[in-house]
Amino acid sequence: MGKFIFVTGGVLSSLGKGVTSASIGAILESMGYRITLQKLDPYLNVDPGTMNPYQHGEVYVTEDGAETDLDLGHYERFTNAVMTKDNNVTAGKVYFNVISRERKGDYLGATVQVIPHITEEIKTLIKKIAKDKDLIIVEVGGTVGDIEGLPFLEAIRQLSLELGRENAMFIHVTYVPYIKTAGELKTKPTQHSVKELRAIGIQPDAIICRADRDLPRGIKSKIALFSNVKEEAVISAPDLDYIYDLPNKFKEEGLDRLIAERLGLEERNADLSKWKKIVHILRTAERTVEVAVVGKYIELKDAYKSIMEALTHGGIANRVRVNIRWISSENLDTREILKANAILVPGGFGERGIKGKIEALRIGREEGKPTFGICLGMQLMAVEFARNVLGLEGANSTEFDPATPHPIIDLMEDQKNIDKMGGTMRLGAYPCKLVEGSKAREIYGKDLIHERHRHRYEFNNAYREPFEKAGVLFSGLSPDGRLVEIMELKDHPWYIGCQFHPEFKSKPFDPHPLFRSFIESALKWSSK
Ligand code: GLN
C-alpha cells in the first residue's frame, strides 16, 4: 500500500480544496508517482445523484457510472487518475454498508457504534483505493468543526497511526482574510481552525493558506508559530487568474519538496512544463469567442463546472479565450443569444426553462450559428426540430408532457419499470459508433467512441425516418443501432447534439474533440 496525504479544510467552505487536492496530485504525478485521489463527503445521501444542483453543484459522472462530487472532476482534469465509484465515499454510503451488515446479522451480539464500526468502514473504504498506488490523496469534505465530519476525521486520525509516521501526512487548507480597513491579512481564523483540528488529535504537517494575495513572510511565520509547523510548511495559495496555474504555484512554494521530505520519498524533480504551457496559452491568447450557455441553474456556476472547463479546454486547443455569456433559460434574452458566436444548451432535469432552451436552439438552427446540445440539450434539439421543421404540433419529451401526441423523446421499456430514483438512470460510459461521412466521425477521427451518460429518456425511434428525410443525420448510434447518441444537421455549419456528456472527459492537455471543434467553428463565426 502507498502513502497517504489527508487534506482537510478549515474556516469556511468554497476555498477550492478540490482544486488544491487535484493540484497536489498533479505535482506528485509529474514526479513520476502513481497517484489516486478520493473525496470523503460527510452528508447522508448515498451519492449526490438525487440532489439539486443548487445544493451541490454539478454531479460528476465517472466512467463506471458513479454519480459523484464535482471535485472528482477536478481530480480527473488535473491528473491521469481514473475515478470510480470507490473514489467518492459519503457518510450515507458508509452508514448504508454498516446498517445493511447489521441487518444481515454480521455484528450479532454487538452494539453497533460510530466508533469503531463507522470509523472502521471508513478506513476500509479508504484503503480500498490504495492498491498499486504510490500516493493516495484523500480529501475530507466540509470544514473542521462540522458535527457530521467528525467520524471521518477520527477515521483518518486512526488510520495515520496504523500506517506509521512516514506513510501519512496531513495538509490543512484554510483562509486568511484581508481586512481592508485595517490593511492587513488576518491569521486568527487559521489559528482557530488548526486548534480545532489539534483538539481532535490531528497535527497538520502543512497549512495551505487561501487568500486574495500572497502571504508575506511575517504572516507565514506567525501562522507557523501558532500551528506548530515549520515556516516552509505554510504555503501561500493566492487567488490566481487560472486554476491550472496552481501546480506551478505550489512548486514555487516548495510543496513538492515538503511532501517528499515528510513522507521520505526519494528526491525527484516535478516537471511541470505541461502546466506552464497551458497557462502560457491561456495568458497569451489574443482572440476571444463568446459562447452563450443557456441554462436554468446559471446563478450557481458550479452547476456547470465541467462544461465551463471543457469550453476553456476547447479554447486552449484553438489558442483563444472563451468568454461564457450566461443566459437564463427562464427569461430568455434573444439579443444576448444573437450577440454570441455560439450557443450551448447543457443537460438538465424538469420542465422549468424548457421553452427558453427550445427558443435558443431555434435561433441557432435558423441563423446557422454553431450550436451544441448536450443531453437534455440534444433532446430539445429534437423537440424543436419536430415542432418547427416537421410541423408536429405539441411534440415534446414525455418527461415534460406525458400525454404529448408526439413523444419525440421517451422512456425505453427498461426505464418504465423503475421505481427507485437513486442510481437508476443510464449511467457511465457506453460505446457509440459513428457514421461514416458525418461531422461527428470527422471530429473524433475514429469510428468507435465511449462517452459518459446520465439520463433516463432517449430519442424515440419511431420518429427517425421523418427526421432523416428532413435533414437530420443520426451520426452516432449504440453498436446495436437501437439508441440515438448523436444527431446533427446536414445543412448547418455546426449543429450537433449528443445524448452523452462529453464535458466529463475533457482535460486541459487533452481537450475533448467536440469542444475543440465547437470552439473552432465559433471562431469562424466570430471572424465572419
Ligand atoms: N432529463 C433528461 C433525461 O433524464 C436529460 C438528463 C440530462 O440532461 N442529464 O433524460
Side-chain angles (χ1 to χ4, degrees):
M1 197 161 36
K3 299 173 187 267
F4 288 78
I5 298 170
F6 298 105
V7 181
T8 55
V11 184
L12 42 85
S13 59
S14 302
L15 290 179
K17 210 167 5 120
V19 173
T20 299
S21 304
S23 299
I24 295 172
I27 292 197
L28 297 171
E29 195 168 73
S30 80
M31 294 161 88
Y33 291 111
R34 294 168 305 170
I35 62 125
T36 193
L37 295 106
Q38 185 181 48
K39 176 82 191 283
L40 307 179
D41 276 311
Y43 52 73
L44 288 176
N45 302 60
V46 171
D47 64 41
T50 53
M51 274 189 235
N52 186 316
Y54 280 126
Q55 294 280 318
H56 186 271
E58 157 186 294
V59 173
Y60 185 77
V61 181
T62 58
E63 203 72 358
D64 69 346
E67 298 176 276
T68 71
D69 187 72
L70 57 78
D71 281 329
L72 274 78
H74 294 306
Y75 304 165
E76 286 204 330
R77 284 187 287 272
F78 276 78
T79 74
N80 292 307
V82 175
M83 293 296 114
T84 69
K85 59 182 181 354
D86 294 328
N87 295 68
N88 193 185
V89 171
T90 65
K93 193 191 269 182
V94 173
Y95 277 82
F96 186 84
N97 290 354
V98 170
I99 293 170
S100 305
R101 251 183 263 132
E102 185 275 335
R103 289 290 80 187
K104 253 174 59 204
D106 286 5
Y107 305 108
L108 275 187
T111 307
V112 181
Q113 294 178 297
V114 173
I115 304 174
H117 300 96
I118 294 296
T119 46
E120 278 306 320
E121 179 64 13
I122 295 172
K123 287 191 276 179
T124 304
L125 293 175
I126 294 176
K127 284 185 273 190
K128 198 171 171 188
I129 59 152
K131 207 171 155 273
D132 300 329
K133 299 287 184 280
D134 303 314
L135 292 156
I136 303 100
I137 300 149
V138 179
E139 177 190 347
V140 184
T143 309
V144 169
D146 297 346
I147 291 177
E148 49 182 22
L150 277 173
F152 287 96
L153 296 172
E154 171 61 14
I156 60 172
R157 184 195 67 75
Q158 292 176 14
L159 189 55
S160 74
L161 208 65
E162 288 166 27
L163 292 163
R165 187 166 158 77
E166 286 235 311
N167 295 319
M169 76 178 280
F170 292 99
I171 297 181
H172 192 50
V173 183
T174 72
Y175 181 53
V176 181
Y178 180 78
I179 305 297
K180 246 202 217 142
T181 44
E184 258 187 305
L185 281 163
K186 294 305 224 181
T187 65
K188 193 68 84 188
T190 296
Q191 292 179 35
H192 277 296
S193 131
V194 173
K195 202 164 132 197
E196 191 111 30
L197 198 57
R198 290 170 69 188
I200 43 182
I202 295 175
Q203 165 62 50
D205 298 292
I207 318 266
I208 294 183
C209 301
R210 288 282 295 112
D212 67 349
R213 62 200 67 207
D214 250 320
L215 300 192
R217 231 4 235 290
I219 295 288
K220 279 193 175 181
S221 56
K222 195 165 171 191
I223 291 173
L225 187 67
F226 280 102
S227 316
N228 193 31
V229 300
K230 291 184 294 185
E231 200 178 307
E232 310 88 83
V234 180
I235 306 288
S236 188
D239 292 345
L240 299 171
D241 293 339
Y242 307 103
I243 54 168
Y244 299 124
D245 204 10
L246 195 55
N248 299 324
K249 177 66 189 165
F250 281 164
K251 185 174 178 189
E252 242 173 64
E253 290 282 307
L255 187 60
D256 51 338
R257 268 177 289 123
L258 190 88
I259 293 173
E261 198 187 304
R262 171 63 183 77
L263 292 177
L265 306 174
E266 65 184 63
E267 226 170 274
R268 289 189 193 172
N269 178 41
D271 176 11
L272 296 183
S273 44
K274 72 177 181 187
W275 294 101
K276 294 229 169 71
K277 194 173 144 206
I278 296 272
V279 175
H280 178 76
I281 293 173
L282 289 167
R283 199 162 274 148
T284 54
E286 279 166 13
R287 288 169 302 173
T288 300
V289 296
E290 305 264 346
V291 178
V293 175
V294 187
K296 72 170 173 180
Y297 311 112
I298 56 167
E299 298 85 354
L300 184 77
K301 307 288 183 284
D302 266 1
Y304 301 112
K305 194 88 220 170
S306 293
I307 297 260
M308 284 162 68
E309 294 307 319
L311 285 169
T312 302
H313 306 162
I316 292 172
N318 290 283
R319 295 187 175 254
V320 293
R321 215 175 286 277
V322 177
N323 186 29
I324 300 178
R325 280 173 186 263
W326 296 99
I327 316 269
S328 162
S329 53
E330 281 178 280
N331 36 45
L332 193 80
D333 185 342
T334 47
R335 281 165 315 180
E336 284 291 304
I337 302 265
L338 287 166
K339 270 192 253 166
N341 306 130
I343 303 164
L344 188 150
V345 178
F349 295 83
E351 210 196 342
R352 201 159 55 82
I354 292 301
K355 217 173 123 222
K357 291 185 180 183
I358 290 178
E359 181 59 9
L361 291 167
R362 185 188 62 77
I363 295 173
R365 180 176 56 76
E366 290 180 352
E367 297 285 318
K369 191 173 275 210
T371 306
F372 197 176
I374 292 179
C375 206
L376 178 65
M378 182 205 95
Q379 297 176 351
L380 296 179
M381 278 180 162
V383 170
E384 191 279 323
F385 193 86
R387 288 182 190 173
N388 300 330
V389 178
L390 302 181
L392 301 176
E393 221 172 291
N396 214 330
S397 162
T398 52
E399 181 179 2
F400 314 122
D401 180 5
T404 169
H406 299 290
I408 305 296
I409 305 294
D410 199 4
L411 293 177
M412 291 284 191
E413 275 318 305
D414 47 350
Q415 277 288 342
K416 283 186 182 155
N417 306 317
I418 282 173
D419 57 353
K420 282 202 190 87
M421 297 297 273
T424 54
M425 282 187 258
R426 176 144 83 106
L427 287 167
Y430 282 84
C432 164
K433 273 177 118 169
L434 301 178
V435 173
E436 210 46 59
S438 65
K439 282 194 199 78
R441 171 70 185 74
E442 192 192 319
I443 291 168
Y444 276 94
K446 52 182 173 186
D447 299 322
L448 183 68
I449 56 167
H450 291 81
E451 293 281 7
R452 298 182 198 172
H453 291 250
R454 181 175 185 251
H455 56 101
R456 259 181 232 293
Y457 293 81
E458 308 279 353
F459 185 88
N460 182 346
N461 291 326
Y463 290 90
R464 273 205 213 172
E465 216 184 291
F467 269 67
E468 280 170 335
K469 280 200 181 125
V472 166
L473 176 61
F474 295 108
S475 53
L477 298 172
S478 58
D480 65 3
R482 269 183 67 235
L483 300 167
V484 167
E485 306 285 44
I486 308 179
M487 67 173 269
E488 56 185 72
L489 287 183
K490 285 187 215 142
D491 295 325
H492 190 293
W494 212 103
Y495 195 88
I496 299 178
C498 52
Q499 189 54 81
F500 48 79
H501 290 273
E503 70 272 24
F504 294 143
K505 287 183 93 157
S506 189
K507 294 181 188 247
F509 28 84
D510 190 12
H512 191 284
L514 285 173
F515 281 90
R516 172 184 39 74
S517 168
F518 178 56
I519 296 301
E520 189 186 318
S521 71
L523 192 60
K524 276 191 202 133
W525 178 278
S526 76
S527 40
K528 260 217 254 193

